[in-house]
Amino acid sequence: MIAIFLTAILTENYILCQFLGICPFLGVSKKLNTAVGMSVAVIFVMALATAVTYPINQYLLVKNNLEYLQTIVFILVIAALVQFVEIVLKRFIPALYQALGIYLPLITTNCAVLGVVLLNISKEYTFAQSMINSVGAGVGFLVAMVMFAGVRERLEGCDIPKGLQGLPITLVAASLVSLSFQGFSGVVSGIFG
Amino acid sequence: MAEKKSLGKEFSKGIIKENPVLRLVLGTCPTLATSVSVTNSIGMGIAATMVLICSNIVISALRKVIPSKIRIPAYIVVIASFVTIVQMLVKAFIPALNDALGVYLPLIVVNCIILGRAEAFAGKNSVPASFLDGLGMGIGFTFALVVMATIREVFGAGTFLDGIDSLTKLFGATSFTGFTIFSEPVGLLVMAPGGFLVFGLVMALANKVAEGKGKPKAELKGCAACPMAHSCSLIDTQDSCDNTAKEEAKE
């Protein structure tokens, strides 16, 4: 369990090692507070999406040999779920809605959420393992976002060659952050394997 | 004649001028993930192009039927159906590609190029124009992928077109299985950091070329480029995703 959790955060970090959820990673990481807000919303939705799609897959799709409908069912479930959460939060927990609400619609088409759901199934995790993996993936998202927001704040004040200004230098910086995560490969299997 | 000319433009704009990856900065996730080898990127490009063309045609044909309030869910259903079809075809005919692309194949459904084109183009234009737009954008996507994959595969793995027989097999050619160029390649380039690095450098180059022609740089426009922009409660004015505007307004 711990191994799955740490693997999801460090060695298989969804952003830096598997390239899932790059759009928010580049788009929302300019400021630390928005980066944290977005990431918390992602953790929340990932956990919820897994909790809902796992039983649907297990008891509805697999039972009726409808696995090929996974993609279409999951994306609709996630989209509906996000809408539903938004409405519920707005009505009952306005404080939380204030903090996370604005990020929720962006998450529907975030490939990290659909990715984690699909990967849980392809890795044949149990329900508990899937939940751990989803939360771990979300925390990994948070770690990467926070680290990268710090790096980007530094970039603001730098004298960057003209051709590299803007997105290219951001990507090169992402490459270096990602390089640091490569250092974790083998650590988890080294400890638990 | 004028009609013909503009249709040609719809097709050609996606390849260079409005290249979805390098100019509009859409679909970055699959670009980074599948550009480790040229074979994978060709496969990914073709799969995404198929989905893009089909969904563009259907969405364009239904554009007067779909109520604008629920158009995003409707688009997602159309796209997801075609992704499922493509996924089944790839699984049946090119299993090696299915294994190589893994989770990125079903993830075409959230590829922002496809939803982005549905929202920005197919929902407003005629079927032939949408078809050409989809074809052009698909080729542009494949082109950008192949450029990146060529750099990463040649320098990162030391090979070129490795495993291409899994694709050419469909046409009965299995003899050619790719070149080996270097025996001691820079392995970093096929790993995750190399993806970001090469993408950054290719984009810098694309900016440089565009600058020479007096075009504005590619820039992630936050929510403006995001296909969810319209349904997003964050941006009413469609300015930017990172809610700086709203925050400042609050203060």
Side-chain angles (χ1 to χ4, degrees), chain A residues 16 18-20 22 27 31 33-34 68 71-72 75 102 109 111 114 162 167-168 171 175 178-179 182, chain B residues 25 29 32-33 81 84 87 104 107 109-110 188 191-193 196-197 200 203 211 217 220 228 243-244 247:
Chain A
L16 296 170
Q18 304 207 36
F19 304 120
L20 295 171
I22 301 291
K31 284 190 171 173
N33 55 349
T34 49
Y68 63 89
T71 314
I72 194 165
I75 186 74
I102 48 171
T109 54
C111 46
L114 186 61
K162 208 170 167 222
L167 209 51
L171 285 163
S175 158
S178 162
L179 190 60
Q182 292 289 316
Chain B
V25 202
C29 305
L32 288 165
S81 318
T84 307
Q87 201 184 344
Y104 296 100
L107 283 180
V109 82
V110 282
L188 180 75
M191 297 198 296
F196 286 111
L197 185 68
M203 189 164 281
E211 205 183 340
K217 262 194 267 212
L220 200 67
M228 294 302 286
N243 82 334
T244 32
E247 252 175 16

mmCIF file of all heavy atoms in Angstrom, chain A residues 16 18-20 22 27 31 33-34 68 71-72 75 102 109 111 114 162 167-168 171 175 178-179 182, chain B residues 25 29 32-33 81 84 87 104 107 109-110 188 191-193 196-197 200 203 211 217 220 228 243-244 247:
data_model
loop_
_atom_site.group_PDB
_atom_site.id
_atom_site.type_symbol
_atom_site.label_atom_id
_atom_site.label_comp_id
_atom_site.label_asym_id
_atom_site.label_seq_id
_atom_site.Cartn_x
_atom_site.Cartn_y
_atom_site.Cartn_z
ATOM 1 N N LEU A 16 5.323 14.691 -14.235
ATOM 2 C CA LEU A 16 6.719 14.771 -14.641
ATOM 3 C C LEU A 16 7.232 13.491 -15.287
ATOM 4 O O LEU A 16 8.198 13.525 -16.033
ATOM 5 C CB LEU A 16 7.582 15.132 -13.438
ATOM 6 C CG LEU A 16 7.280 16.521 -12.880
ATOM 7 C CD1 LEU A 16 7.979 16.741 -11.569
ATOM 8 C CD2 LEU A 16 7.697 17.591 -13.879
ATOM 9 N N GLN A 18 4.855 10.824 -16.460
ATOM 10 C CA GLN A 18 3.909 10.199 -17.390
ATOM 11 C C GLN A 18 3.197 11.206 -18.287
ATOM 12 O O GLN A 18 2.345 10.829 -19.090
ATOM 13 C CB GLN A 18 2.847 9.419 -16.604
ATOM 14 C CG GLN A 18 3.470 8.402 -15.686
ATOM 15 C CD GLN A 18 2.537 7.253 -15.435
ATOM 16 O OE1 GLN A 18 1.802 6.847 -16.326
ATOM 17 N NE2 GLN A 18 2.547 6.731 -14.248
ATOM 18 N N PHE A 19 3.519 12.461 -18.138
ATOM 19 C CA PHE A 19 2.956 13.497 -19.013
ATOM 20 C C PHE A 19 1.443 13.538 -19.005
ATOM 21 O O PHE A 19 0.809 13.680 -20.046
ATOM 22 C CB PHE A 19 3.413 13.327 -20.455
ATOM 23 C CG PHE A 19 4.886 13.310 -20.631
ATOM 24 C CD1 PHE A 19 5.519 12.227 -21.181
ATOM 25 C CD2 PHE A 19 5.642 14.397 -20.261
ATOM 26 C CE1 PHE A 19 6.884 12.214 -21.351
ATOM 27 C CE2 PHE A 19 7.005 14.394 -20.440
ATOM 28 C CZ PHE A 19 7.626 13.294 -20.993
ATOM 29 N N LEU A 20 0.828 13.373 -17.860
ATOM 30 C CA LEU A 20 -0.622 13.535 -17.807
ATOM 31 C C LEU A 20 -0.931 14.827 -17.064
ATOM 32 O O LEU A 20 -0.358 15.090 -16.012
ATOM 33 C CB LEU A 20 -1.268 12.349 -17.085
ATOM 34 C CG LEU A 20 -1.126 11.007 -17.799
ATOM 35 C CD1 LEU A 20 -1.593 9.878 -16.912
ATOM 36 C CD2 LEU A 20 -1.906 11.010 -19.086
ATOM 37 N N ILE A 22 -0.588 18.043 -18.391
ATOM 38 C CA ILE A 22 0.417 19.064 -18.676
ATOM 39 C C ILE A 22 -0.228 20.453 -18.799
ATOM 40 O O ILE A 22 0.365 21.452 -18.408
ATOM 41 C CB ILE A 22 1.170 18.733 -19.993
ATOM 42 C CG1 ILE A 22 1.849 17.379 -19.884
ATOM 43 C CG2 ILE A 22 2.178 19.799 -20.320
ATOM 44 C CD1 ILE A 22 2.984 17.316 -18.936
ATOM 45 N N GLY A 27 -0.313 25.940 -17.332
ATOM 46 C CA GLY A 27 -1.215 27.083 -17.322
ATOM 47 C C GLY A 27 -1.450 27.693 -15.960
ATOM 48 O O GLY A 27 -1.615 28.903 -15.841
ATOM 49 N N LYS A 31 1.414 31.068 -10.163
ATOM 50 C CA LYS A 31 1.385 31.552 -8.784
ATOM 51 C C LYS A 31 1.180 30.384 -7.832
ATOM 52 O O LYS A 31 0.426 29.468 -8.136
ATOM 53 C CB LYS A 31 0.234 32.549 -8.601
ATOM 54 C CG LYS A 31 0.544 33.898 -9.185
ATOM 55 C CD LYS A 31 -0.504 34.890 -8.754
ATOM 56 C CE LYS A 31 -0.118 36.302 -9.130
ATOM 57 N NZ LYS A 31 -1.208 37.232 -8.863
ATOM 58 N N ASN A 33 -0.414 30.142 -4.925
ATOM 59 C CA ASN A 33 -1.739 29.869 -4.341
ATOM 60 C C ASN A 33 -2.694 29.228 -5.339
ATOM 61 O O ASN A 33 -3.448 28.318 -4.997
ATOM 62 C CB ASN A 33 -2.341 31.125 -3.691
ATOM 63 C CG ASN A 33 -2.408 32.282 -4.651
ATOM 64 O OD1 ASN A 33 -1.826 32.220 -5.738
ATOM 65 N ND2 ASN A 33 -3.106 33.334 -4.278
ATOM 66 N N THR A 34 -2.641 29.652 -6.604
ATOM 67 C CA THR A 34 -3.515 29.002 -7.589
ATOM 68 C C THR A 34 -3.053 27.575 -7.848
ATOM 69 O O THR A 34 -3.879 26.678 -8.046
ATOM 70 C CB THR A 34 -3.548 29.768 -8.923
ATOM 71 O OG1 THR A 34 -2.212 30.032 -9.324
ATOM 72 C CG2 THR A 34 -4.313 31.057 -8.801
ATOM 73 N N TYR A 68 -15.461 -2.482 -23.424
ATOM 74 C CA TYR A 68 -15.083 -1.555 -24.481
ATOM 75 C C TYR A 68 -15.765 -0.201 -24.332
ATOM 76 O O TYR A 68 -15.384 0.765 -24.966
ATOM 77 C CB TYR A 68 -15.363 -2.162 -25.871
ATOM 78 C CG TYR A 68 -16.822 -2.446 -26.128
ATOM 79 C CD1 TYR A 68 -17.638 -1.471 -26.686
ATOM 80 C CD2 TYR A 68 -17.373 -3.685 -25.829
ATOM 81 C CE1 TYR A 68 -18.971 -1.727 -26.919
ATOM 82 C CE2 TYR A 68 -18.700 -3.949 -26.055
ATOM 83 C CZ TYR A 68 -19.494 -2.952 -26.601
ATOM 84 O OH TYR A 68 -20.812 -3.211 -26.829
ATOM 85 N N THR A 71 -14.117 3.951 -21.923
ATOM 86 C CA THR A 71 -13.737 5.332 -22.206
ATOM 87 C C THR A 71 -14.942 6.253 -22.170
ATOM 88 O O THR A 71 -14.957 7.272 -21.485
ATOM 89 C CB THR A 71 -13.088 5.423 -23.603
ATOM 90 O OG1 THR A 71 -12.161 4.369 -23.724
ATOM 91 C CG2 THR A 71 -12.407 6.745 -23.793
ATOM 92 N N ILE A 72 -15.966 5.874 -22.918
ATOM 93 C CA ILE A 72 -17.124 6.748 -23.076
ATOM 94 C C ILE A 72 -17.892 6.873 -21.761
ATOM 95 O O ILE A 72 -18.340 7.956 -21.377
ATOM 96 C CB ILE A 72 -18.001 6.216 -24.241
ATOM 97 C CG1 ILE A 72 -19.024 7.249 -24.675
ATOM 98 C CG2 ILE A 72 -18.697 4.946 -23.907
ATOM 99 C CD1 ILE A 72 -19.613 6.898 -26.018
ATOM 100 N N ILE A 75 -15.688 9.065 -19.091
ATOM 101 C CA ILE A 75 -15.592 10.515 -19.319
ATOM 102 C C ILE A 75 -16.918 11.176 -18.964
ATOM 103 O O ILE A 75 -16.955 12.262 -18.384
ATOM 104 C CB ILE A 75 -15.127 10.851 -20.761
ATOM 105 C CG1 ILE A 75 -14.883 12.348 -20.932
ATOM 106 C CG2 ILE A 75 -16.095 10.392 -21.816
ATOM 107 C CD1 ILE A 75 -13.644 12.860 -20.279
ATOM 108 N N ILE A 102 -13.741 27.270 -8.578
ATOM 109 C CA ILE A 102 -13.325 27.804 -9.864
ATOM 110 C C ILE A 102 -12.463 26.829 -10.651
ATOM 111 O O ILE A 102 -12.374 26.919 -11.862
ATOM 112 C CB ILE A 102 -12.567 29.135 -9.702
ATOM 113 C CG1 ILE A 102 -11.515 29.002 -8.622
ATOM 114 C CG2 ILE A 102 -13.518 30.261 -9.378
ATOM 115 C CD1 ILE A 102 -10.591 30.197 -8.562
ATOM 116 N N THR A 109 -11.875 17.888 -18.320
ATOM 117 C CA THR A 109 -11.120 17.403 -19.466
ATOM 118 C C THR A 109 -9.640 17.300 -19.158
ATOM 119 O O THR A 109 -8.814 17.310 -20.061
ATOM 120 C CB THR A 109 -11.319 18.311 -20.684
ATOM 121 O OG1 THR A 109 -10.983 19.635 -20.275
ATOM 122 C CG2 THR A 109 -12.709 18.249 -21.212
ATOM 123 N N CYS A 111 -6.538 15.274 -18.518
ATOM 124 C CA CYS A 111 -6.292 13.864 -18.821
ATOM 125 C C CYS A 111 -5.757 13.112 -17.615
ATOM 126 O O CYS A 111 -5.808 11.894 -17.573
ATOM 127 C CB CYS A 111 -5.387 13.688 -20.029
ATOM 128 S SG CYS A 111 -3.956 14.718 -20.063
ATOM 129 N N LEU A 114 -8.892 11.188 -15.986
ATOM 130 C CA LEU A 114 -9.289 10.009 -16.768
ATOM 131 C C LEU A 114 -8.144 9.011 -16.803
ATOM 132 O O LEU A 114 -8.349 7.798 -16.755
ATOM 133 C CB LEU A 114 -9.683 10.435 -18.186
ATOM 134 C CG LEU A 114 -10.259 9.349 -19.079
ATOM 135 C CD1 LEU A 114 -11.522 8.782 -18.487
ATOM 136 C CD2 LEU A 114 -10.540 9.883 -20.465
ATOM 137 N N LYS A 162 15.896 35.910 -26.203
ATOM 138 C CA LYS A 162 14.609 36.299 -26.746
ATOM 139 C C LYS A 162 13.786 35.128 -27.300
ATOM 140 O O LYS A 162 12.592 35.020 -27.039
ATOM 141 C CB LYS A 162 14.810 37.345 -27.842
ATOM 142 C CG LYS A 162 13.613 38.242 -27.967
ATOM 143 C CD LYS A 162 13.901 39.413 -28.882
ATOM 144 C CE LYS A 162 12.592 40.099 -29.219
ATOM 145 N NZ LYS A 162 12.510 40.478 -30.616
ATOM 146 N N LEU A 167 6.917 30.338 -23.242
ATOM 147 C CA LEU A 167 6.698 28.906 -23.090
ATOM 148 C C LEU A 167 7.957 28.048 -23.227
ATOM 149 O O LEU A 167 8.152 27.129 -22.440
ATOM 150 C CB LEU A 167 5.632 28.477 -24.098
ATOM 151 C CG LEU A 167 4.791 27.294 -23.685
ATOM 152 C CD1 LEU A 167 4.223 27.487 -22.287
ATOM 153 C CD2 LEU A 167 3.666 27.112 -24.669
ATOM 154 N N PRO A 168 8.838 28.311 -24.213
ATOM 155 C CA PRO A 168 10.003 27.426 -24.348
ATOM 156 C C PRO A 168 10.837 27.321 -23.072
ATOM 157 O O PRO A 168 11.174 26.209 -22.654
ATOM 158 C CB PRO A 168 10.804 28.080 -25.479
ATOM 159 C CG PRO A 168 9.796 28.784 -26.281
ATOM 160 C CD PRO A 168 8.769 29.273 -25.325
ATOM 161 N N LEU A 171 9.226 25.162 -20.542
ATOM 162 C CA LEU A 171 9.363 23.733 -20.818
ATOM 163 C C LEU A 171 10.754 23.231 -20.464
ATOM 164 O O LEU A 171 10.914 22.128 -19.939
ATOM 165 C CB LEU A 171 9.060 23.458 -22.293
ATOM 166 C CG LEU A 171 7.582 23.510 -22.650
ATOM 167 C CD1 LEU A 171 7.395 23.648 -24.143
ATOM 168 C CD2 LEU A 171 6.868 22.265 -22.157
ATOM 169 N N SER A 175 11.735 20.446 -17.773
ATOM 170 C CA SER A 175 12.633 19.332 -18.040
ATOM 171 C C SER A 175 13.593 19.118 -16.871
ATOM 172 O O SER A 175 13.841 17.987 -16.446
ATOM 173 C CB SER A 175 13.398 19.611 -19.336
ATOM 174 O OG SER A 175 14.572 18.871 -19.381
ATOM 175 N N SER A 178 11.758 17.726 -13.928
ATOM 176 C CA SER A 178 11.485 16.323 -14.214
ATOM 177 C C SER A 178 12.736 15.472 -14.023
ATOM 178 O O SER A 178 12.681 14.338 -13.528
ATOM 179 C CB SER A 178 10.968 16.213 -15.640
ATOM 180 O OG SER A 178 11.076 14.920 -16.116
ATOM 181 N N LEU A 179 13.873 16.047 -14.390
ATOM 182 C CA LEU A 179 15.146 15.337 -14.239
ATOM 183 C C LEU A 179 15.385 14.993 -12.775
ATOM 184 O O LEU A 179 15.845 13.906 -12.435
ATOM 185 C CB LEU A 179 16.276 16.223 -14.770
ATOM 186 C CG LEU A 179 17.655 15.589 -14.925
ATOM 187 C CD1 LEU A 179 17.574 14.433 -15.894
ATOM 188 C CD2 LEU A 179 18.652 16.617 -15.426
ATOM 189 N N GLN A 182 13.638 11.962 -11.848
ATOM 190 C CA GLN A 182 14.217 10.718 -12.340
ATOM 191 C C GLN A 182 15.105 10.095 -11.271
ATOM 192 O O GLN A 182 15.314 8.893 -11.232
ATOM 193 C CB GLN A 182 15.041 10.977 -13.611
ATOM 194 C CG GLN A 182 14.226 11.387 -14.804
ATOM 195 C CD GLN A 182 13.412 10.259 -15.348
ATOM 196 O OE1 GLN A 182 13.893 9.146 -15.485
ATOM 197 N NE2 GLN A 182 12.152 10.508 -15.653
ATOM 198 N N VAL B 25 -0.543 25.500 -29.038
ATOM 199 C CA VAL B 25 -0.189 24.834 -27.773
ATOM 200 C C VAL B 25 -1.367 24.024 -27.215
ATOM 201 O O VAL B 25 -1.789 24.196 -26.091
ATOM 202 C CB VAL B 25 0.320 25.833 -26.709
ATOM 203 C CG1 VAL B 25 1.148 25.079 -25.671
ATOM 204 C CG2 VAL B 25 1.134 26.922 -27.319
ATOM 205 N N CYS B 29 0.000 16.902 -23.826
ATOM 206 C CA CYS B 29 0.252 15.630 -23.115
ATOM 207 C C CYS B 29 0.610 14.501 -24.077
ATOM 208 O O CYS B 29 1.657 13.878 -23.926
ATOM 209 C CB CYS B 29 -0.945 15.226 -22.265
ATOM 210 S SG CYS B 29 -1.466 16.489 -21.111
ATOM 211 N N LEU B 32 4.114 14.978 -25.738
ATOM 212 C CA LEU B 32 5.277 14.636 -24.928
ATOM 213 C C LEU B 32 5.367 13.131 -24.721
ATOM 214 O O LEU B 32 6.443 12.546 -24.757
ATOM 215 C CB LEU B 32 5.188 15.341 -23.574
ATOM 216 C CG LEU B 32 5.435 16.845 -23.618
ATOM 217 C CD1 LEU B 32 4.963 17.500 -22.337
ATOM 218 C CD2 LEU B 32 6.902 17.122 -23.836
ATOM 219 N N ALA B 33 4.203 12.514 -24.514
ATOM 220 C CA ALA B 33 4.226 11.112 -24.105
ATOM 221 C C ALA B 33 4.532 10.163 -25.256
ATOM 222 O O ALA B 33 5.202 9.158 -25.056
ATOM 223 C CB ALA B 33 2.890 10.736 -23.477
ATOM 224 N N SER B 81 -17.183 8.314 -28.655
ATOM 225 C CA SER B 81 -17.609 7.180 -29.478
ATOM 226 C C SER B 81 -16.556 6.855 -30.522
ATOM 227 O O SER B 81 -16.190 5.696 -30.725
ATOM 228 C CB SER B 81 -18.923 7.483 -30.197
ATOM 229 O OG SER B 81 -19.798 8.123 -29.339
ATOM 230 N N THR B 84 -13.524 5.255 -29.066
ATOM 231 C CA THR B 84 -13.750 3.837 -28.778
ATOM 232 C C THR B 84 -13.609 2.999 -30.041
ATOM 233 O O THR B 84 -12.987 1.938 -30.031
ATOM 234 C CB THR B 84 -15.152 3.656 -28.163
ATOM 235 O OG1 THR B 84 -15.275 4.539 -27.059
ATOM 236 C CG2 THR B 84 -15.364 2.237 -27.701
ATOM 237 N N GLN B 87 -9.987 2.837 -31.007
ATOM 238 C CA GLN B 87 -9.296 1.977 -30.047
ATOM 239 C C GLN B 87 -9.509 0.493 -30.380
ATOM 240 O O GLN B 87 -8.571 -0.303 -30.358
ATOM 241 C CB GLN B 87 -9.866 2.287 -28.668
ATOM 242 C CG GLN B 87 -8.986 1.903 -27.518
ATOM 243 C CD GLN B 87 -9.700 2.178 -26.199
ATOM 244 O OE1 GLN B 87 -10.702 2.903 -26.149
ATOM 245 N NE2 GLN B 87 -9.213 1.584 -25.146
ATOM 246 N N TYR B 104 -2.619 6.218 -23.456
ATOM 247 C CA TYR B 104 -2.753 7.440 -24.255
ATOM 248 C C TYR B 104 -3.734 7.275 -25.404
ATOM 249 O O TYR B 104 -4.210 8.258 -25.951
ATOM 250 C CB TYR B 104 -1.388 7.905 -24.766
ATOM 251 C CG TYR B 104 -0.503 8.277 -23.624
ATOM 252 C CD1 TYR B 104 0.464 7.414 -23.152
ATOM 253 C CD2 TYR B 104 -0.700 9.479 -22.951
ATOM 254 C CE1 TYR B 104 1.233 7.731 -22.052
ATOM 255 C CE2 TYR B 104 0.062 9.800 -21.855
ATOM 256 C CZ TYR B 104 1.027 8.930 -21.413
ATOM 257 O OH TYR B 104 1.771 9.248 -20.320
ATOM 258 N N LEU B 107 -7.018 8.108 -24.074
ATOM 259 C CA LEU B 107 -6.942 9.503 -23.639
ATOM 260 C C LEU B 107 -7.055 10.497 -24.795
ATOM 261 O O LEU B 107 -7.086 11.696 -24.568
ATOM 262 C CB LEU B 107 -5.649 9.763 -22.859
ATOM 263 C CG LEU B 107 -5.652 9.252 -21.416
ATOM 264 C CD1 LEU B 107 -4.345 9.565 -20.741
ATOM 265 C CD2 LEU B 107 -6.791 9.845 -20.617
ATOM 266 N N VAL B 109 -9.565 11.039 -26.115
ATOM 267 C CA VAL B 109 -10.865 11.640 -25.835
ATOM 268 C C VAL B 109 -10.720 12.991 -25.123
ATOM 269 O O VAL B 109 -11.523 13.901 -25.334
ATOM 270 C CB VAL B 109 -11.741 10.643 -25.039
ATOM 271 C CG1 VAL B 109 -11.443 10.640 -23.578
ATOM 272 C CG2 VAL B 109 -13.194 10.956 -25.214
ATOM 273 N N VAL B 110 -9.690 13.144 -24.308
ATOM 274 C CA VAL B 110 -9.500 14.438 -23.649
ATOM 275 C C VAL B 110 -8.384 15.249 -24.297
ATOM 276 O O VAL B 110 -7.898 16.211 -23.718
ATOM 277 C CB VAL B 110 -9.226 14.288 -22.139
ATOM 278 C CG1 VAL B 110 -10.499 14.003 -21.389
ATOM 279 C CG2 VAL B 110 -8.187 13.238 -21.857
ATOM 280 N N LEU B 188 18.855 9.969 -22.054
ATOM 281 C CA LEU B 188 17.996 10.943 -21.371
ATOM 282 C C LEU B 188 16.865 11.440 -22.271
ATOM 283 O O LEU B 188 15.761 11.702 -21.809
ATOM 284 C CB LEU B 188 18.853 12.130 -20.911
ATOM 285 C CG LEU B 188 18.099 13.234 -20.193
ATOM 286 C CD1 LEU B 188 17.751 12.791 -18.792
ATOM 287 C CD2 LEU B 188 18.904 14.512 -20.167
ATOM 288 N N MET B 191 13.686 9.675 -22.190
ATOM 289 C CA MET B 191 13.009 9.683 -20.891
ATOM 290 C C MET B 191 12.213 10.984 -20.749
ATOM 291 O O MET B 191 12.272 11.861 -21.598
ATOM 292 C CB MET B 191 14.032 9.542 -19.769
ATOM 293 C CG MET B 191 14.755 8.207 -19.843
ATOM 294 S SD MET B 191 15.561 7.755 -18.314
ATOM 295 C CE MET B 191 16.770 9.006 -18.104
ATOM 296 N N ALA B 192 11.482 11.067 -19.636
ATOM 297 C CA ALA B 192 10.589 12.207 -19.464
ATOM 298 C C ALA B 192 11.265 13.582 -19.590
ATOM 299 O O ALA B 192 10.745 14.448 -20.294
ATOM 300 C CB ALA B 192 9.866 12.083 -18.131
ATOM 301 N N PRO B 193 12.412 13.824 -18.936
ATOM 302 C CA PRO B 193 12.993 15.164 -19.028
ATOM 303 C C PRO B 193 13.318 15.549 -20.465
ATOM 304 O O PRO B 193 13.151 16.702 -20.872
ATOM 305 C CB PRO B 193 14.278 15.060 -18.198
ATOM 306 C CG PRO B 193 14.119 13.868 -17.355
ATOM 307 C CD PRO B 193 13.230 12.935 -18.077
ATOM 308 N N PHE B 196 10.345 17.152 -22.330
ATOM 309 C CA PHE B 196 10.148 18.574 -22.053
ATOM 310 C C PHE B 196 11.209 19.417 -22.761
ATOM 311 O O PHE B 196 10.924 20.460 -23.348
ATOM 312 C CB PHE B 196 10.228 18.846 -20.544
ATOM 313 C CG PHE B 196 9.029 18.400 -19.768
ATOM 314 C CD1 PHE B 196 9.106 17.347 -18.886
ATOM 315 C CD2 PHE B 196 7.813 19.051 -19.912
ATOM 316 C CE1 PHE B 196 8.008 16.935 -18.145
ATOM 317 C CE2 PHE B 196 6.705 18.651 -19.182
ATOM 318 C CZ PHE B 196 6.801 17.596 -18.299
ATOM 319 N N LEU B 197 12.460 18.921 -22.674
ATOM 320 C CA LEU B 197 13.582 19.686 -23.233
ATOM 321 C C LEU B 197 13.416 19.866 -24.742
ATOM 322 O O LEU B 197 13.476 20.992 -25.263
ATOM 323 C CB LEU B 197 14.888 18.958 -22.911
ATOM 324 C CG LEU B 197 16.163 19.686 -23.318
ATOM 325 C CD1 LEU B 197 16.333 20.932 -22.471
ATOM 326 C CD2 LEU B 197 17.367 18.778 -23.174
ATOM 327 N N GLY B 200 10.546 22.124 -25.626
ATOM 328 C CA GLY B 200 10.912 23.519 -25.391
ATOM 329 C C GLY B 200 11.763 24.070 -26.513
ATOM 330 O O GLY B 200 11.520 25.170 -27.022
ATOM 331 N N MET B 203 9.852 24.360 -29.804
ATOM 332 C CA MET B 203 8.939 25.496 -29.754
ATOM 333 C C MET B 203 9.696 26.826 -29.883
ATOM 334 O O MET B 203 9.227 27.756 -30.538
ATOM 335 C CB MET B 203 8.143 25.471 -28.462
ATOM 336 C CG MET B 203 7.054 26.494 -28.468
ATOM 337 S SD MET B 203 5.892 26.163 -27.194
ATOM 338 C CE MET B 203 4.969 24.869 -27.943
ATOM 339 N N GLU B 211 8.682 34.581 -35.724
ATOM 340 C CA GLU B 211 9.096 35.960 -35.466
ATOM 341 C C GLU B 211 9.669 36.591 -36.733
ATOM 342 O O GLU B 211 9.389 37.739 -37.054
ATOM 343 C CB GLU B 211 10.163 35.946 -34.374
ATOM 344 C CG GLU B 211 10.261 37.234 -33.608
ATOM 345 C CD GLU B 211 11.391 37.145 -32.591
ATOM 346 O OE1 GLU B 211 11.805 36.022 -32.253
ATOM 347 O OE2 GLU B 211 11.859 38.185 -32.169
ATOM 348 N N LYS B 217 4.284 35.214 -31.071
ATOM 349 C CA LYS B 217 4.785 33.966 -30.497
ATOM 350 C C LYS B 217 3.663 33.052 -30.042
ATOM 351 O O LYS B 217 2.598 33.513 -29.672
ATOM 352 C CB LYS B 217 5.564 34.306 -29.237
ATOM 353 C CG LYS B 217 7.014 34.375 -29.410
ATOM 354 C CD LYS B 217 7.666 34.375 -28.066
ATOM 355 C CE LYS B 217 7.894 35.781 -27.620
ATOM 356 N NZ LYS B 217 9.037 35.978 -26.810
ATOM 357 N N LEU B 220 0.834 30.028 -24.216
ATOM 358 C CA LEU B 220 -0.298 29.381 -23.590
ATOM 359 C C LEU B 220 -1.227 30.476 -23.113
ATOM 360 O O LEU B 220 -0.870 31.279 -22.276
ATOM 361 C CB LEU B 220 0.168 28.522 -22.411
ATOM 362 C CG LEU B 220 -0.805 27.450 -21.987
ATOM 363 C CD1 LEU B 220 -0.927 26.398 -23.079
ATOM 364 C CD2 LEU B 220 -0.362 26.814 -20.700
ATOM 365 N N MET B 228 -12.745 24.285 -22.599
ATOM 366 C CA MET B 228 -13.765 24.370 -21.565
ATOM 367 C C MET B 228 -14.058 25.817 -21.180
ATOM 368 O O MET B 228 -14.864 26.076 -20.293
ATOM 369 C CB MET B 228 -13.321 23.613 -20.311
ATOM 370 C CG MET B 228 -13.199 22.128 -20.504
ATOM 371 S SD MET B 228 -14.728 21.397 -21.047
ATOM 372 C CE MET B 228 -15.636 21.466 -19.509
ATOM 373 N N ASN B 243 -6.846 33.021 -12.995
ATOM 374 C CA ASN B 243 -7.720 33.888 -12.215
ATOM 375 C C ASN B 243 -7.055 35.125 -11.617
ATOM 376 O O ASN B 243 -7.515 35.679 -10.632
ATOM 377 C CB ASN B 243 -8.497 33.078 -11.153
ATOM 378 C CG ASN B 243 -7.708 32.799 -9.881
ATOM 379 O OD1 ASN B 243 -6.489 32.758 -9.903
ATOM 380 N ND2 ASN B 243 -8.415 32.632 -8.779
ATOM 381 N N THR B 244 -5.949 35.548 -12.202
ATOM 382 C CA THR B 244 -5.303 36.755 -11.693
ATOM 383 C C THR B 244 -6.247 37.943 -11.828
ATOM 384 O O THR B 244 -6.360 38.754 -10.914
ATOM 385 C CB THR B 244 -4.017 37.067 -12.475
ATOM 386 O OG1 THR B 244 -4.198 36.627 -13.792
ATOM 387 C CG2 THR B 244 -2.823 36.406 -11.855
ATOM 388 N N GLU B 247 -8.849 37.878 -9.162
ATOM 389 C CA GLU B 247 -8.264 38.145 -7.854
ATOM 390 C C GLU B 247 -7.999 39.630 -7.684
ATOM 391 O O GLU B 247 -8.308 40.225 -6.656
ATOM 392 C CB GLU B 247 -6.952 37.382 -7.717
ATOM 393 C CG GLU B 247 -7.079 36.225 -6.761
ATOM 394 C CD GLU B 247 -5.803 35.425 -6.746
ATOM 395 O OE1 GLU B 247 -4.771 35.922 -7.227
ATOM 396 O OE2 GLU B 247 -5.855 34.324 -6.252
#
